mmCIF file of all heavy atoms in Angstrom:
data_model
loop_
_atom_site.group_PDB
_atom_site.id
_atom_site.type_symbol
_atom_site.label_atom_id
_atom_site.label_comp_id
_atom_site.label_asym_id
_atom_site.label_seq_id
_atom_site.Cartn_x
_atom_site.Cartn_y
_atom_site.Cartn_z
ATOM 1 N N MET A 1 0.846 -1.185 -0.012
ATOM 2 C CA MET A 1 0.009 -0.008 -0.028
ATOM 3 C C MET A 1 0.869 1.253 -0.013
ATOM 4 O O MET A 1 0.487 2.232 -0.693
ATOM 5 C CB MET A 1 -0.923 -0.032 1.245
ATOM 6 C CG MET A 1 -1.979 1.057 1.267
ATOM 7 S SD MET A 1 -3.089 0.825 -0.100
ATOM 8 C CE MET A 1 -4.161 2.184 0.198
ATOM 9 N N ARG A 2 1.973 1.241 0.712
ATOM 10 C CA ARG A 2 2.893 2.421 0.775
ATOM 11 C C ARG A 2 3.417 2.656 -0.586
ATOM 12 O O ARG A 2 3.647 3.870 -0.900
ATOM 13 C CB ARG A 2 3.993 2.149 1.743
ATOM 14 C CG ARG A 2 3.573 2.149 3.172
ATOM 15 C CD ARG A 2 4.697 2.023 4.133
ATOM 16 N NE ARG A 2 4.262 1.840 5.505
ATOM 17 C CZ ARG A 2 5.142 1.537 6.469
ATOM 18 N NH1 ARG A 2 6.394 1.441 6.293
ATOM 19 N NH2 ARG A 2 4.614 1.468 7.737
ATOM 20 N N ILE A 3 3.725 1.574 -1.358
ATOM 21 C CA ILE A 3 4.338 1.840 -2.673
ATOM 22 C C ILE A 3 3.352 2.499 -3.571
ATOM 23 O O ILE A 3 3.676 3.384 -4.308
ATOM 24 C CB ILE A 3 4.785 0.465 -3.253
ATOM 25 C CG1 ILE A 3 5.908 -0.112 -2.397
ATOM 26 C CG2 ILE A 3 5.226 0.630 -4.701
ATOM 27 C CD1 ILE A 3 6.349 -1.467 -2.796
ATOM 28 N N ALA A 4 2.074 2.137 -3.502
ATOM 29 C CA ALA A 4 0.993 2.715 -4.315
ATOM 30 C C ALA A 4 0.846 4.226 -3.954
ATOM 31 O O ALA A 4 0.744 5.050 -4.851
ATOM 32 C CB ALA A 4 -0.254 2.010 -4.186
ATOM 33 N N ILE A 5 0.883 4.513 -2.693
ATOM 34 C CA ILE A 5 0.727 5.932 -2.307
ATOM 35 C C ILE A 5 1.938 6.712 -2.708
ATOM 36 O O ILE A 5 1.806 7.856 -3.222
ATOM 37 C CB ILE A 5 0.519 6.056 -0.731
ATOM 38 C CG1 ILE A 5 -0.783 5.364 -0.338
ATOM 39 C CG2 ILE A 5 0.616 7.416 -0.270
ATOM 40 C CD1 ILE A 5 -1.024 5.226 1.134
ATOM 41 N N ALA A 6 3.128 6.165 -2.557
ATOM 42 C CA ALA A 6 4.343 6.912 -3.013
ATOM 43 C C ALA A 6 4.369 7.082 -4.523
ATOM 44 O O ALA A 6 4.783 8.130 -5.023
ATOM 45 C CB ALA A 6 5.577 6.068 -2.620
ATOM 46 N N ALA A 7 3.860 6.134 -5.272
ATOM 47 C CA ALA A 7 3.776 6.240 -6.739
ATOM 48 C C ALA A 7 2.761 7.344 -7.142
ATOM 49 O O ALA A 7 3.015 8.170 -7.952
ATOM 50 C CB ALA A 7 3.405 4.931 -7.351
ATOM 51 N N LEU A 8 1.661 7.378 -6.408
ATOM 52 C CA LEU A 8 0.631 8.399 -6.697
ATOM 53 C C LEU A 8 1.171 9.775 -6.328
ATOM 54 O O LEU A 8 1.031 10.736 -7.171
ATOM 55 C CB LEU A 8 -0.591 8.090 -5.898
ATOM 56 C CG LEU A 8 -1.785 9.011 -6.139
ATOM 57 C CD1 LEU A 8 -2.250 8.993 -7.573
ATOM 58 C CD2 LEU A 8 -2.937 8.707 -5.172
ATOM 59 N N VAL A 9 1.864 9.887 -5.223
ATOM 60 C CA VAL A 9 2.425 11.180 -4.837
ATOM 61 C C VAL A 9 3.494 11.651 -5.822
ATOM 62 O O VAL A 9 3.546 12.798 -6.242
ATOM 63 C CB VAL A 9 3.050 11.146 -3.385
ATOM 64 C CG1 VAL A 9 3.843 12.373 -3.097
ATOM 65 C CG2 VAL A 9 1.931 10.967 -2.411
ATOM 66 N N GLY A 10 4.274 10.697 -6.291
ATOM 67 C CA GLY A 10 5.268 10.983 -7.356
ATOM 68 C C GLY A 10 4.719 11.459 -8.623
ATOM 69 O O GLY A 10 5.163 12.410 -9.259
ATOM 70 N N VAL A 11 3.586 10.817 -9.076
ATOM 71 C CA VAL A 11 2.943 11.236 -10.268
ATOM 72 C C VAL A 11 2.375 12.642 -10.134
ATOM 73 O O VAL A 11 2.492 13.475 -11.045
ATOM 74 C CB VAL A 11 1.827 10.176 -10.681
ATOM 75 C CG1 VAL A 11 0.944 10.752 -11.704
ATOM 76 C CG2 VAL A 11 2.420 8.912 -11.142
ATOM 77 N N LEU A 12 1.749 12.878 -8.992
ATOM 78 C CA LEU A 12 1.123 14.195 -8.753
ATOM 79 C C LEU A 12 2.237 15.290 -8.727
ATOM 80 O O LEU A 12 2.054 16.363 -9.255
ATOM 81 C CB LEU A 12 0.339 14.276 -7.418
ATOM 82 C CG LEU A 12 -0.946 13.345 -7.470
ATOM 83 C CD1 LEU A 12 -1.579 13.437 -6.094
ATOM 84 C CD2 LEU A 12 -1.954 13.936 -8.517
ATOM 85 N N LEU A 13 3.345 14.977 -8.078
ATOM 86 C CA LEU A 13 4.500 15.957 -8.118
ATOM 87 C C LEU A 13 5.022 16.221 -9.514
ATOM 88 O O LEU A 13 5.299 17.361 -9.858
ATOM 89 C CB LEU A 13 5.561 15.508 -7.167
ATOM 90 C CG LEU A 13 5.336 15.607 -5.658
ATOM 91 C CD1 LEU A 13 6.403 15.019 -4.926
ATOM 92 C CD2 LEU A 13 5.109 17.063 -5.296
ATOM 93 N N ALA A 14 5.126 15.187 -10.305
ATOM 94 C CA ALA A 14 5.645 15.291 -11.665
ATOM 95 C C ALA A 14 4.656 16.132 -12.507
ATOM 96 O O ALA A 14 5.126 16.989 -13.244
ATOM 97 C CB ALA A 14 5.851 13.900 -12.273
ATOM 98 N N VAL A 15 3.389 15.870 -12.360
ATOM 99 C CA VAL A 15 2.370 16.619 -13.126
ATOM 100 C C VAL A 15 2.400 18.098 -12.729
ATOM 101 O O VAL A 15 2.347 18.985 -13.565
ATOM 102 C CB VAL A 15 1.019 16.011 -12.942
ATOM 103 C CG1 VAL A 15 -0.087 16.934 -13.504
ATOM 104 C CG2 VAL A 15 0.901 14.613 -13.635
ATOM 105 N N GLY A 16 2.467 18.327 -11.423
ATOM 106 C CA GLY A 16 2.511 19.738 -10.967
ATOM 107 C C GLY A 16 3.749 20.428 -11.387
ATOM 108 O O GLY A 16 3.721 21.613 -11.740
ATOM 109 N N ALA A 17 4.906 19.776 -11.421
ATOM 110 C CA ALA A 17 6.149 20.412 -11.772
ATOM 111 C C ALA A 17 6.105 20.713 -13.255
ATOM 112 O O ALA A 17 6.563 21.761 -13.699
ATOM 113 C CB ALA A 17 7.256 19.485 -11.463
ATOM 114 N N SER A 18 5.627 19.776 -14.071
ATOM 115 C CA SER A 18 5.611 20.007 -15.554
ATOM 116 C C SER A 18 4.618 21.124 -15.870
ATOM 117 O O SER A 18 4.930 21.995 -16.698
ATOM 118 C CB SER A 18 5.284 18.693 -16.269
ATOM 119 O OG SER A 18 3.967 18.279 -15.941
ATOM 120 N N PHE A 19 3.518 21.161 -15.153
ATOM 121 C CA PHE A 19 2.543 22.234 -15.421
ATOM 122 C C PHE A 19 3.134 23.628 -14.982
ATOM 123 O O PHE A 19 2.950 24.589 -15.741
ATOM 124 C CB PHE A 19 1.237 22.010 -14.548
ATOM 125 C CG PHE A 19 0.180 23.007 -14.704
ATOM 126 C CD1 PHE A 19 -0.582 23.071 -15.922
ATOM 127 C CD2 PHE A 19 -0.035 23.998 -13.782
ATOM 128 C CE1 PHE A 19 -1.530 24.022 -16.110
ATOM 129 C CE2 PHE A 19 -1.003 24.951 -13.897
ATOM 130 C CZ PHE A 19 -1.804 24.932 -15.103
ATOM 131 N N GLY A 20 3.868 23.599 -13.924
ATOM 132 C CA GLY A 20 4.477 24.870 -13.435
ATOM 133 C C GLY A 20 5.532 25.328 -14.467
ATOM 134 O O GLY A 20 5.618 26.533 -14.800
ATOM 135 N N VAL A 21 6.354 24.391 -14.964
ATOM 136 C CA VAL A 21 7.391 24.793 -15.970
ATOM 137 C C VAL A 21 6.724 25.334 -17.235
ATOM 138 O O VAL A 21 7.179 26.291 -17.783
ATOM 139 C CB VAL A 21 8.275 23.576 -16.241
ATOM 140 C CG1 VAL A 21 9.136 23.855 -17.519
ATOM 141 C CG2 VAL A 21 9.121 23.262 -15.013
ATOM 142 N N VAL A 22 5.668 24.671 -17.679
ATOM 143 C CA VAL A 22 5.020 25.147 -18.901
ATOM 144 C C VAL A 22 4.390 26.559 -18.685
ATOM 145 O O VAL A 22 4.533 27.433 -19.531
ATOM 146 C CB VAL A 22 3.889 24.174 -19.346
ATOM 147 C CG1 VAL A 22 2.970 24.716 -20.376
ATOM 148 C CG2 VAL A 22 4.558 22.905 -19.783
ATOM 149 N N GLN A 23 3.794 26.784 -17.537
ATOM 150 C CA GLN A 23 3.214 28.095 -17.284
ATOM 151 C C GLN A 23 4.339 29.127 -17.141
ATOM 152 O O GLN A 23 4.147 30.278 -17.601
ATOM 153 C CB GLN A 23 2.378 28.101 -15.959
ATOM 154 C CG GLN A 23 1.130 27.223 -16.068
ATOM 155 C CD GLN A 23 0.196 27.695 -17.134
ATOM 156 O OE1 GLN A 23 0.005 28.855 -17.331
ATOM 157 N NE2 GLN A 23 -0.309 26.784 -17.871
ATOM 158 N N LEU A 24 5.453 28.799 -16.558
ATOM 159 C CA LEU A 24 6.518 29.736 -16.385
ATOM 160 C C LEU A 24 7.077 30.054 -17.771
ATOM 161 O O LEU A 24 7.451 31.268 -18.001
ATOM 162 C CB LEU A 24 7.564 29.152 -15.476
ATOM 163 C CG LEU A 24 8.677 30.074 -15.082
ATOM 164 C CD1 LEU A 24 8.181 31.175 -14.278
ATOM 165 C CD2 LEU A 24 9.725 29.313 -14.282
ATOM 166 N N SER A 25 7.237 29.110 -18.629
ATOM 167 C CA SER A 25 7.819 29.330 -19.916
ATOM 168 C C SER A 25 6.882 30.187 -20.820
ATOM 169 O O SER A 25 7.336 31.048 -21.530
ATOM 170 C CB SER A 25 8.186 28.034 -20.627
ATOM 171 O OG SER A 25 7.094 27.314 -20.915
ATOM 172 N N ASN A 26 5.582 29.906 -20.643
ATOM 173 C CA ASN A 26 4.646 30.717 -21.414
ATOM 174 C C ASN A 26 4.570 32.146 -20.930
ATOM 175 O O ASN A 26 4.404 33.124 -21.715
ATOM 176 C CB ASN A 26 3.195 30.148 -21.250
ATOM 177 C CG ASN A 26 3.020 28.934 -22.182
ATOM 178 O OD1 ASN A 26 3.773 28.700 -23.111
ATOM 179 N ND2 ASN A 26 2.028 28.130 -21.872
ATOM 180 N N ALA A 27 4.751 32.354 -19.623
ATOM 181 C CA ALA A 27 4.730 33.703 -19.085
ATOM 182 C C ALA A 27 5.950 34.490 -19.430
ATOM 183 O O ALA A 27 5.964 35.689 -19.588
ATOM 184 C CB ALA A 27 4.547 33.643 -17.567
ATOM 185 N N SER A 28 7.104 33.764 -19.652
ATOM 186 C CA SER A 28 8.361 34.477 -19.951
ATOM 187 C C SER A 28 8.447 34.804 -21.451
ATOM 188 O O SER A 28 9.342 35.644 -21.754
ATOM 189 C CB SER A 28 9.560 33.626 -19.523
ATOM 190 O OG SER A 28 9.560 32.417 -20.294
ATOM 191 N N GLN A 29 7.610 34.253 -22.211
ATOM 192 C CA GLN A 29 7.721 34.622 -23.658
ATOM 193 C C GLN A 29 7.115 35.948 -23.918
ATOM 194 O O GLN A 29 6.056 36.269 -23.374
ATOM 195 C CB GLN A 29 6.982 33.512 -24.503
ATOM 196 C CG GLN A 29 7.710 32.205 -24.569
ATOM 197 C CD GLN A 29 6.925 31.187 -25.453
ATOM 198 O OE1 GLN A 29 5.783 31.454 -25.822
ATOM 199 N NE2 GLN A 29 7.535 30.094 -25.628
ATOM 200 N N GLN A 30 7.832 36.745 -24.732
ATOM 201 C CA GLN A 30 7.336 37.995 -25.119
ATOM 202 C C GLN A 30 6.485 37.895 -26.419
ATOM 203 O O GLN A 30 6.315 36.719 -26.943
ATOM 204 C CB GLN A 30 8.423 38.981 -25.299
ATOM 205 C CG GLN A 30 9.198 39.209 -24.014
ATOM 206 C CD GLN A 30 10.354 40.145 -24.168
ATOM 207 O OE1 GLN A 30 10.681 40.520 -25.345
ATOM 208 N NE2 GLN A 30 11.051 40.449 -23.083
ATOM 209 N N ASP A 31 6.075 38.972 -26.991
ATOM 210 C CA ASP A 31 5.330 38.922 -28.239
ATOM 211 C C ASP A 31 6.226 38.295 -29.315
ATOM 212 O O ASP A 31 7.405 38.513 -29.343
ATOM 213 C CB ASP A 31 4.991 40.376 -28.648
ATOM 214 C CG ASP A 31 3.939 41.009 -27.727
ATOM 215 O OD1 ASP A 31 3.217 40.258 -27.091
ATOM 216 O OD2 ASP A 31 3.954 42.219 -27.650
ATOM 217 N N PRO A 32 5.605 37.500 -30.229
ATOM 218 C CA PRO A 32 6.437 36.827 -31.207
ATOM 219 C C PRO A 32 7.020 37.910 -32.179
ATOM 220 O O PRO A 32 6.478 38.936 -32.379
ATOM 221 C CB PRO A 32 5.402 36.025 -31.934
ATOM 222 C CG PRO A 32 4.060 36.541 -31.605
ATOM 223 C CD PRO A 32 4.187 37.196 -30.278
ATOM 224 N N VAL A 33 8.219 37.541 -32.646
ATOM 225 C CA VAL A 33 8.894 38.469 -33.527
ATOM 226 C C VAL A 33 8.282 38.325 -34.911
ATOM 227 O O VAL A 33 8.350 37.280 -35.465
ATOM 228 C CB VAL A 33 10.399 38.186 -33.616
ATOM 229 C CG1 VAL A 33 11.102 39.071 -34.610
ATOM 230 C CG2 VAL A 33 10.970 38.317 -32.153
ATOM 231 N N ILE A 34 7.775 39.442 -35.464
ATOM 232 C CA ILE A 34 7.149 39.435 -36.777
ATOM 233 C C ILE A 34 8.136 39.946 -37.848
ATOM 234 O O ILE A 34 8.197 39.436 -38.947
ATOM 235 C CB ILE A 34 5.891 40.249 -36.794
ATOM 236 C CG1 ILE A 34 4.921 39.694 -35.794
ATOM 237 C CG2 ILE A 34 5.301 40.294 -38.213
ATOM 238 C CD1 ILE A 34 3.629 40.585 -35.599
ATOM 239 N N LYS A 35 8.992 40.866 -37.393
ATOM 240 C CA LYS A 35 10.020 41.386 -38.316
ATOM 241 C C LYS A 35 11.080 40.356 -38.550
ATOM 242 O O LYS A 35 11.322 39.555 -37.662
ATOM 243 C CB LYS A 35 10.573 42.705 -37.758
ATOM 244 C CG LYS A 35 9.585 43.827 -37.590
ATOM 245 C CD LYS A 35 10.256 45.115 -37.122
ATOM 246 C CE LYS A 35 10.589 44.999 -35.646
ATOM 247 N NZ LYS A 35 11.136 46.211 -35.069
ATOM 248 N N PRO A 36 11.740 40.470 -39.691
ATOM 249 C CA PRO A 36 12.823 39.595 -39.883
ATOM 250 C C PRO A 36 14.007 39.855 -38.881
ATOM 251 O O PRO A 36 14.164 40.962 -38.412
ATOM 252 C CB PRO A 36 13.355 39.824 -41.350
ATOM 253 C CG PRO A 36 12.449 40.840 -41.894
ATOM 254 C CD PRO A 36 11.450 41.262 -40.797
ATOM 255 N N LEU A 37 14.721 38.779 -38.506
ATOM 256 C CA LEU A 37 15.771 38.978 -37.532
ATOM 257 C C LEU A 37 16.907 39.817 -38.062
ATOM 258 O O LEU A 37 17.507 40.563 -37.260
ATOM 259 C CB LEU A 37 16.279 37.624 -37.101
ATOM 260 C CG LEU A 37 15.259 36.715 -36.376
ATOM 261 C CD1 LEU A 37 15.901 35.383 -36.090
ATOM 262 C CD2 LEU A 37 14.882 37.374 -35.064
ATOM 263 N N TYR A 38 17.179 39.775 -39.307
ATOM 264 C CA TYR A 38 18.291 40.563 -39.899
ATOM 265 C C TYR A 38 17.786 41.475 -40.948
ATOM 266 O O TYR A 38 16.959 41.066 -41.744
ATOM 267 C CB TYR A 38 19.302 39.614 -40.483
ATOM 268 C CG TYR A 38 19.907 38.637 -39.420
ATOM 269 C CD1 TYR A 38 19.442 37.308 -39.401
ATOM 270 C CD2 TYR A 38 20.867 38.983 -38.543
ATOM 271 C CE1 TYR A 38 19.944 36.449 -38.502
ATOM 272 C CE2 TYR A 38 21.418 38.225 -37.660
ATOM 273 C CZ TYR A 38 20.935 36.884 -37.608
ATOM 274 O OH TYR A 38 21.432 36.009 -36.647
ATOM 275 N N ASN A 39 18.265 42.696 -40.898
ATOM 276 C CA ASN A 39 17.846 43.687 -41.919
ATOM 277 C C ASN A 39 19.026 43.822 -42.847
ATOM 278 O O ASN A 39 20.041 44.445 -42.506
ATOM 279 C CB ASN A 39 17.482 44.993 -41.201
ATOM 280 C CG ASN A 39 16.967 46.020 -42.264
ATOM 281 O OD1 ASN A 39 16.771 45.631 -43.398
ATOM 282 N ND2 ASN A 39 16.801 47.250 -41.788
ATOM 283 N N TYR A 40 18.920 43.254 -44.067
ATOM 284 C CA TYR A 40 20.017 43.371 -44.993
ATOM 285 C C TYR A 40 19.937 44.619 -45.894
ATOM 286 O O TYR A 40 20.750 44.786 -46.782
ATOM 287 C CB TYR A 40 19.994 42.130 -45.942
ATOM 288 C CG TYR A 40 20.283 40.846 -45.195
ATOM 289 C CD1 TYR A 40 19.269 39.906 -44.884
ATOM 290 C CD2 TYR A 40 21.566 40.573 -44.787
ATOM 291 C CE1 TYR A 40 19.608 38.775 -44.255
ATOM 292 C CE2 TYR A 40 21.883 39.481 -44.036
ATOM 293 C CZ TYR A 40 20.821 38.494 -43.787
ATOM 294 O OH TYR A 40 21.154 37.376 -43.128
ATOM 295 N N GLY A 41 18.977 45.522 -45.604
ATOM 296 C CA GLY A 41 18.845 46.753 -46.381
ATOM 297 C C GLY A 41 18.044 46.485 -47.625
ATOM 298 O O GLY A 41 17.538 45.357 -47.866
ATOM 299 N N SER A 42 17.932 47.485 -48.473
ATOM 300 C CA SER A 42 17.149 47.359 -49.636
ATOM 301 C C SER A 42 18.004 46.595 -50.657
ATOM 302 O O SER A 42 19.205 46.763 -50.785
ATOM 303 C CB SER A 42 16.752 48.712 -50.207
ATOM 304 O OG SER A 42 17.916 49.480 -50.435
ATOM 305 N N ARG A 43 17.343 45.764 -51.449
ATOM 306 C CA ARG A 43 18.060 44.905 -52.422
ATOM 307 C C ARG A 43 17.621 45.378 -53.837
ATOM 308 O O ARG A 43 16.513 45.518 -54.151
ATOM 309 C CB ARG A 43 17.752 43.488 -52.259
ATOM 310 C CG ARG A 43 18.325 42.974 -50.951
ATOM 311 C CD ARG A 43 18.195 41.564 -50.869
ATOM 312 N NE ARG A 43 18.673 41.068 -49.612
ATOM 313 C CZ ARG A 43 18.966 39.818 -49.322
ATOM 314 N NH1 ARG A 43 18.789 38.855 -50.187
ATOM 315 N NH2 ARG A 43 19.438 39.438 -48.181
#
């Protein structure tokens, strides 16, 4: 029984950690870059 509880707690911690990382990475992203990264001037 202890093994099942430990496995369940581990799964919940893993899900919570992955959800937190995804939310943190989404919050840290700024507006997408629409302009080209390099401006080579007029051609």
Side-chain angles (χ1 to χ4, degrees):
M1 188 65 181
R2 290 182 186 175
I3 295 174
I5 293 172
L8 182 62
V9 169
V11 168
L12 291 176
L13 285 175
V15 168
S18 64
F19 180 76
V21 167
V22 168
Q23 293 301 318
L24 188 65
S25 66
N26 283 341
S28 66
Q29 288 179 353
Q30 297 177 354
D31 293 333
V33 177
I34 299 173
K35 295 184 285 188
L37 293 176
Y38 301 101
N39 184 7
Y40 294 107
S42 59
R43 294 187 181 195

